Amino acid sequence: MVMERRTVDEWMDGLDGWMNERRLSIILLQDEDQMGLTEEEIRAGVDTFMFEGHDTTASGISFILYSLACNPEHQKLCREEFKKDGKYLWRLLEWQRNFSGAIPLWYGPLACVLVVYHPDYVKAILTTSEFKKEFVYSFIQPWSAEGLLVSNGQRWFRHRRLLNPGFHYDVLKPYVKLMSNSAMTMLDKWESYARSGERLELSEHVSLMSLDSILKCAFSDKDSCQTQSGLNTYIKAVYELLSLVNLRFRTLLYYNNVIFYLSPHGFRFRKAFRITRKHTEEVIRKRKEILRQEKEQGKEQTKRHLDFLDILLLARDETQQGLSDEDICAEVDTFMVAGHDTTASSISFILYNLANHPEHQKLCREEVMQALDGKDTFEWDDLNKIPYTTMCIKESLRLYPTVPLILRSLTKTLTFPDGRSLPAGTRVSISIFGLHRNPTVWENPSVFDPLRFLPENVSKRSPHAFIPFSAGPRNCIGQNFAMNEMKVVVAQTLRRYQLIKEPDFEPLLITRLVLCSLNGIYIRLKPLNAAS
């Protein structure tokens, strides 16, 4: 059989032709209400796809493949990177040794990202408002719409101002009991691992527990998704969306919107999105009716605590204008995205670190037991009674930051303290992983040492040396919520179990939406009474 020899351009033109046929068939489809597009909208859609998705993508991919063919040493490094062997973040640390504050990374012949990891550089970037989120954040946008995570400009300022009351300590206070109940449910399920001595993979269990807490705090859900015989449709859709967003992050072809949305994964994404959006809209409709009835009966805020959805529905700006239903859906979905896997990743690595360092685990347990003073559950007033445990949590966040990289595009020229400048349009990546392990900032950066966070030691460092929740005007609005949940889960776990290191296990770190481990995060458990 003789194969036809084709140039890269010919191959890409053929692919574009096939994609355009698929694209037209999609445009002619009707939605669930049997409503299609008008002829004018169809013509506009086809012409837009032809204009934006043809020569642009073909040219870019052609030159990328040509450049890799001409540079086999870089082609080899790219191939190794796609193996996802858990070494990428460590390679960044190796490269950092040769550059004092930043390194340029090239992705093909056209895309360059400046990776920064020195506090002075990080401060200059995070304290300016002259940037926009990088395009990869748009992968989340179909789900979270124009929520805080991806919005910019005046829309972001208005939403941030309206949402701030939702994270006031008076609102967060009743959440502690909900978090404690979710943690207790997870710990009950761990009894079988403690009795058998079987190793426990933390990520899956902690992720479901974190989702359980989010649902209780956001929607006042009464049922626990941890105890249901099977995950309900909404929970399955949430996990499906998270999985598909992660898949898109690590699949280069899916960076193209057209290719992704016409793929089987794109179809699954849209199906899962419709399920989550329908659920959120229904919850909002029912809650509006409840609030209306409570207001009529004069019982508002008397019989139950305010949850996140209440805050969104009741929020008003200086002109007494609230959020639209679409805005509320966007912020609820953003809360699910930003508050679920992030906290789950943090807690998993915290428990892993405590298992690996029994001397620190022992001190934390003694502190927790003293704070509980015979109680079974952790309460709001106990949060400030565990300073050493809090230092251990922060040290774990230093070594294993939940979001190891932040991407930005500059909209104006930025000048660093050393006089160097970056022009508008430059892509920058803040390597929080590299910053937190920068040897010019941290002594023995790979050593787990909670005493780094004693007040006298913290005062000697730049405030931008440790940024697990980012910093500046766009820092994480839910950081107090997250820290409270970490404290509660760690305290409840240490009260009940001794955490034991899994021999010869090391997590293979990869960057997805959050920091993950390719090979899981394993520890072993022993019931505390048996351990003592």
Side-chain angles (χ1 to χ4, degrees):
M1 176 179 172
V2 178
M3 294 188 65
E4 179 185 359
R5 183 180 177 184
R6 305 178 68 188
T7 68
V8 173
D9 282 335
E10 289 171 341
W11 183 82
M12 285 303 304
D13 283 339
L15 175 62
D16 276 340
W18 176 82
M19 291 297 293
N20 284 327
E21 291 177 7
R22 291 288 305 277
R23 206 175 291 142
L24 182 58
S25 66
I26 293 295
I27 289 173
L28 292 173
L29 291 177
Q30 296 175 333
D31 62 17
E32 58 272 14
D33 298 322
Q34 302 303 305
M35 297 294 292
L37 298 172
T38 65
E39 289 188 6
E40 184 177 350
E41 289 172 333
I42 292 173
R43 283 195 296 272
V46 171
D47 291 343
T48 298
F49 278 132
M50 292 294 293
F51 178 73
E52 292 185 353
H54 175 216
D55 275 358
T56 51
T57 308
S59 173
I61 294 177
S62 299
F63 279 110
I64 290 170
L65 297 178
Y66 169 76
S67 297
L68 289 174
C70 294
N71 299 275
E73 69 280 11
H74 297 299
Q75 180 184 153
K76 179 183 177 183
L77 291 173
C78 291
R79 184 174 291 110
E80 290 176 354
E81 186 174 80
F82 282 117
K83 291 178 182 176
K84 295 296 180 184
D85 56 2
K87 296 180 180 178
Y88 174 71
L89 291 171
W90 303 112
R91 290 193 193 103
L92 279 180
L93 293 185
E94 291 177 8
W95 297 333
Q96 282 182 207
R97 295 172 187 167
N98 300 320
F99 301 90
S100 59
I103 52 175
L105 290 184
W106 283 88
Y107 296 86
L110 302 176
C112 179
V113 177
L114 185 71
V115 182
V116 302
Y117 41 81
H118 190 277
D120 293 342
Y121 281 25
V122 170
K123 178 181 179 181
I125 295 168
L126 292 181
T127 54
T128 179
S129 58
E130 304 298 340
F131 66 82
K132 62 180 180 179
K133 295 261 184 148
E134 250 300 325
F135 78 97
V136 291
Y137 290 96
S138 66
F139 299 167
I140 309 168
Q141 197 162 2
W143 181 13
S144 65
E146 288 290 332
L148 277 182
L149 191 62
V150 296
S151 60
N152 291 291
Q154 288 303 312
R155 179 185 177 88
W156 177 86
F157 280 109
R158 179 174 184 267
H159 282 223
R160 176 83 180 212
R161 196 165 57 246
L162 289 174
L163 265 62
N164 272 332
F167 295 93
H168 189 271
Y169 75 91
D170 284 336
V171 176
L172 297 179
K173 188 173 181 179
Y175 290 173
V176 170
K177 183 178 180 181
L178 302 177
M179 295 170 179
S180 184
N181 291 339
S182 294
M184 292 291 285
T185 301
M186 178 184 72
L187 297 175
D188 287 342
K189 295 168 66 177
W190 287 1
E191 280 287 351
S192 60
Y193 292 92
R195 287 196 302 268
S196 66
E198 179 185 354
R199 71 175 187 167
L200 168 68
E201 202 289 302
L202 290 167
S203 303
E204 182 178 346
H205 290 267
V206 176
S207 176
L208 192 58
M209 181 277 301
S210 178
L211 183 58
D212 191 23
S213 291
I214 287 284
L215 291 172
K216 286 181 168 65
C217 297
F219 298 140
S220 294
D221 260 21
K222 302 299 181 185
D223 300 323
S224 173
C225 62
Q226 298 183 84
T227 57
Q228 295 172 359
S229 57
L231 297 180
N232 65 39
T233 305
Y234 175 71
I235 303 300
K236 288 179 180 177
V238 169
Y239 276 117
E240 176 84 333
L241 287 171
L242 288 170
S243 174
L244 290 169
V245 171
N246 279 322
L247 173 68
R248 194 175 180 189
F249 266 108
R250 63 182 190 270
T251 306
L252 186 61
L253 279 177
Y254 283 173
Y255 280 45
N256 182 290
N257 287 332
V258 175
I259 293 176
F260 177 71
Y261 283 113
L262 294 180
S263 72
H265 293 114
F267 173 80
R268 285 167 49 190
F269 184 93
R270 292 191 298 278
K271 181 179 179 181
F273 166 72
R274 286 194 295 268
I275 292 171
T276 58
R277 181 49 58 94
K278 183 178 179 181
H279 176 273
T280 303
E281 289 174 346
E282 181 64 14
V283 170
I284 291 172
R285 185 190 65 78
K286 290 180 178 178
R287 182 61 57 80
K288 276 187 168 181
E289 180 63 21
I290 292 173
L291 290 175
R292 184 187 64 79
Q293 292 175 1
E294 288 180 347
K295 187 174 183 179
E296 289 177 354
Q297 299 169 10
K299 298 179 181 179
E300 191 174 1
Q301 301 183 26
T302 58
K303 287 195 172 182
R304 61 181 179 85
H305 67 267
L306 291 178
D307 60 21
F308 185 65
L309 183 54
D310 289 325
I311 299 295
L312 294 175
L313 288 168
L314 297 172
R316 295 290 183 273
D317 61 18
E318 58 275 7
T319 63
Q320 295 305 304
Q321 294 295 311
L323 295 167
S324 67
D325 285 356
E326 185 69 23
D327 290 339
I328 293 171
C329 280
E331 298 303 349
V332 168
D333 290 340
T334 296
F335 191 46
M336 297 294 294
V337 175
H340 168 214
D341 265 8
T342 49
T343 310
S345 171
S346 300
I347 293 172
S348 298
F349 281 109
I350 291 165
L351 298 180
Y352 165 76
N353 278 311
L354 291 176
N356 284 3
H357 300 89
E359 69 280 13
H360 297 298
Q361 180 186 160
K362 181 176 182 291
L363 292 173
C364 290
R365 181 176 292 107
E366 291 173 354
E367 183 180 66
V368 166
M369 291 302 194
Q370 184 176 356
L372 286 171
D373 194 23
K375 295 181 297 185
D376 290 335
T377 58
F378 216 64
E379 298 174 356
W380 173 263
D381 293 335
D382 301 322
L383 292 175
N384 293 324
K385 298 177 182 178
I386 51 171
Y388 192 82
T389 305
T390 302
M391 289 193 293
C392 286
I393 290 172
K394 290 181 177 179
E395 178 66 350
S396 182
L397 290 173
R398 182 186 71 82
L399 289 170
Y400 299 94
T402 308
V403 180
L405 299 168
I406 300 175
L407 296 173
R408 296 286 187 268
S409 287
L410 300 181
T411 57
K412 289 188 177 180
T413 299
L414 177 67
T415 301
F416 293 117
D418 59 9
R420 299 177 182 180
S421 297
L422 294 177
T426 302
R427 291 189 176 101
V428 293
S429 172
I430 297 172
S431 174
I432 300 179
F433 188 83
L435 172 69
H436 287 183
R437 293 174 181 258
N438 189 333
T440 66
V441 179
W442 306 90
E443 186 178 353
N444 299 320
S446 298
V447 174
F448 186 87
D449 180 11
L451 298 182
R452 301 178 197 274
F453 293 95
L454 285 170
E456 57 267 31
N457 292 331
V458 172
S459 64
K460 299 174 185 177
R461 292 191 300 267
S462 164
H464 289 81
F466 176 67
I467 54 167
F469 300 103
S470 188
R474 295 202 64 145
N475 67 346
C476 175
I477 192 174
Q479 58 185 288
N480 290 328
F481 177 94
M483 281 298 296
N484 290 348
E485 185 171 6
M486 291 178 215
K487 291 179 183 180
V488 168
V489 175
V490 170
Q492 294 288 96
T493 303
L494 295 180
R495 187 192 72 84
R496 192 158 171 180
Y497 297 114
Q498 179 182 346
L499 312 180
I500 302 171
K501 179 181 179 180
E502 172 66 7
D504 302 321
F505 172 77
E506 290 288 338
L508 298 176
L509 304 180
I510 55 171
T511 300
R512 292 182 179 171
L513 269 178
V514 297
L515 185 66
C516 299
S517 173
L518 269 176
N519 56 338
I521 305 175
Y522 287 93
I523 64 169
R524 293 180 188 268
L525 302 173
K526 186 180 289 186
L528 190 57
N529 55 354
S532 57

